[in-house]
Amino acid sequence: MDLDQHFPALSDLRKRAQRRLPRFVWEYLDSGTGAEATKQRNRHALDRIGFVPSILHGPQDADVSTPWLGKALPLPIGMAPIGMSGLIWPDAEGHLARAARDAGIPYCLSTVASQSPEDLAPHLGDQAWFQLYPPKDPDIRKDMLDRAKSAGFDTLVITLDVPVASRRERQTRSGLTQPPRLTPRLLAQVATRPTWAAGMARRGMPRMRTLDKYTMSPRASRSSTAHIGYLLRTSPDWDYVTWLRDNWDGPLVAKGVLRPEDAARLERVGYDALWVSNHAGRQFDAAPATIEVLPQIRAATNLPLILDSGVETGLDILRAFALGADLVMMGRGFHFALAALGQRGPAHLIDVLKKDLSANMGQLGVTALSEIRQVPRIELI
């Protein structure tokens, strides 16, 4: 199959992924919270950002590499963490880690992934990131940091925008619970998706393997969207993020920043980069689009900035860079690609994004990503 002919855009991968996943898995991956206004706002805000094309530049070669914390990345994008990736596709974390390693881009493993840091150790490149949901117990906290470091994860990402479990109504309506249980209702859905079912039969239903060491059974009641990780987690404060800075000797990133004053204070604490995120609309349904707050955060800090939430194309990456981002992360997109094409999917999406970046840079007459901030912008209706 010629992937470029059949799947020239992420939208094509998304459609095929939906056809290949059981409904409850699709709802878990694709849903937001509430009426999903924040999820839609992310997309609409990106679509409003236009550029004025430039002509008469002659032949050009686009350089899509970007500096990141003292290193050069071949592409300005990485793979964002999604909890329980292995529910979306068998060995999802392994497939994504290997694809990121081969492309030389960041891969971020979630605390609540279905594989542990130790599982991923043989598959990591030199941009291996570990996303930490903040454990309350200081001994567990220290042990998780040691495990991540020993496995080869050099960058720690602390997620700050999940102080409580979200309400993802579409996920709840689908019948998915935490931990996942194959009820007769869900088994009926699985029966219609033989490829997914066969993969799961070989590997078994996923669980949050990083947490196995600390707890194997629930000790308290939880909502259908609150997984076992909430038994270990806390709502962090400024003392917590300062403790992390004192106890992690590698690059440290704060994820979930939407206010300029928080960005400035995190810089003073000593963080190395900030991640502007509204959790892709999965946590709070009255949040601003990340691209809307990015310029104010850029003005408030000198730290490198990551942006996610709503990004789908190379053009979106250029929009993010134009407004102040230094790196863009995608979560759903890479999982759409994986569900659509299996292990070939992530590499194909990387190729699609690279080609889209180059094509749009050519239209704008820029040869380096840093030049995009000088291109005249307009607001599109």
Side-chain angles (χ1 to χ4, degrees):
M1 180 188 297
D2 187 327
L3 298 185
D4 287 326
Q5 287 290 320
H6 287 84
F7 309 101
L10 178 59
S11 57
D12 303 300
L13 296 169
R14 184 182 184 277
K15 291 175 184 175
R16 191 166 199 252
Q18 186 172 10
R19 294 195 301 267
R20 283 161 58 89
L21 293 175
R23 178 173 173 267
F24 70 93
V25 177
W26 174 256
E27 297 293 83
Y28 172 70
L29 172 60
D30 189 62
S31 64
T33 189
E36 302 193 339
T38 298
K39 181 184 173 188
Q40 297 170 31
R41 194 175 299 116
N42 285 326
R43 183 65 257 162
H44 294 160
L46 285 162
D47 286 335
R48 288 199 300 269
I49 300 168
F51 300 99
V52 181
S54 183
I55 60 174
L56 298 175
H57 293 279
Q60 290 183 303
D61 291 320
D63 180 2
V64 296
S65 66
T66 191
W68 180 255
L69 296 181
K71 297 181 180 180
L73 299 180
L75 286 167
I77 193 163
M79 300 182 183
I82 289 185
M84 290 293 286
S85 282
L87 178 67
I88 298 163
W89 202 255
D91 191 27
E93 293 92 349
H95 288 309
L96 294 172
R98 290 186 290 271
R101 176 196 63 197
D102 294 345
I105 64 175
Y107 168 72
C108 191
L109 178 72
S110 173
T111 299
V112 293
S114 57
Q115 296 191 52
S116 69
E118 294 83 359
D119 294 329
L120 270 292
H123 311 290
L124 299 176
D126 62 0
Q127 285 292 331
W129 300 12
F130 183 74
Q131 175 263 345
L132 183 73
Y133 279 123
K136 180 187 301 183
D137 186 293
D139 293 330
I140 293 177
R141 194 185 314 164
K142 292 176 182 177
D143 190 61
M144 279 192 183
L145 298 189
D146 290 342
R147 291 174 63 190
K149 180 68 72 173
S150 297
F153 291 87
D154 65 329
T155 297
L156 184 69
V157 178
I158 173 69
T159 292
L160 302 173
D161 61 352
V162 189
V164 296
S166 66
R167 288 173 49 79
R168 298 176 192 167
E169 290 85 346
R170 276 176 58 191
Q171 178 182 321
T172 300
R173 293 186 195 106
S174 75
L176 179 64
T177 61
Q178 296 289 354
R181 294 189 301 276
L182 287 179
T183 63
R185 176 185 173 188
L186 300 191
L187 283 169
Q189 298 176 29
V190 169
T192 67
R193 301 293 187 265
T195 304
W196 183 93
M200 288 298 165
R202 288 192 297 269
R203 294 189 66 89
M205 283 298 287
R207 66 181 191 273
M208 298 172 186
R209 292 178 59 90
T210 300
L211 306 184
D212 283 354
K213 182 176 181 180
Y214 314 116
T215 178
M216 286 293 291
S217 62
R219 296 191 301 271
S221 61
R222 305 185 303 279
S223 73
S224 62
T225 58
H227 49 69
I228 195 169
Y230 281 91
L231 297 178
L232 303 175
R233 283 161 52 179
T234 187
S235 298
D237 56 16
W238 286 100
D239 289 338
Y240 196 105
V241 295
T242 301
W243 183 94
L244 277 182
R245 178 65 287 176
D246 292 340
N247 286 271
W248 180 261
D249 63 2
L252 184 57
V253 181
K255 181 176 183 288
V257 179
L258 291 175
R259 294 189 181 190
E261 59 267 30
D262 292 333
R265 189 170 178 182
L266 284 161
E267 181 174 7
R268 291 195 296 270
V269 170
Y271 276 59
D272 297 290
L274 305 178
W275 191 324
V276 182
S277 176
N278 59 31
H279 225 88
R282 292 165 75 83
Q283 286 300 122
F284 181 60
D285 207 24
T290 53
I291 199 72
E292 292 176 323
V293 301
L294 180 60
Q296 296 97 306
I297 295 176
R298 177 71 286 161
T301 179
N302 293 314
L303 292 179
L305 296 181
I306 302 166
L307 180 130
D308 73 7
S309 302
V311 175
E312 298 178 354
T313 65
L315 180 56
D316 289 341
I317 297 171
L318 292 179
R319 287 163 164 153
F321 268 66
L323 271 69
D326 300 286
L327 187 66
V328 171
M329 299 289 277
M330 290 174 63
R332 283 193 184 105
F334 281 108
H335 287 76
F336 290 154
L338 187 59
L341 300 175
Q343 64 180 357
R344 298 176 299 168
H348 176 62
L349 178 56
I350 290 169
D351 185 60
V352 166
L353 293 170
K354 182 177 181 179
K355 290 175 178 175
D356 196 42
L357 271 169
S358 298
N360 284 290
M361 290 171 70
Q363 290 291 323
L364 297 173
V366 300
T367 58
L369 290 170
S370 58
E371 298 171 8
I372 192 65
R373 295 179 187 176
Q374 310 307 318
V375 174
R377 297 193 301 273
I378 58 173
E379 183 174 356
L380 303 176
I381 299 175

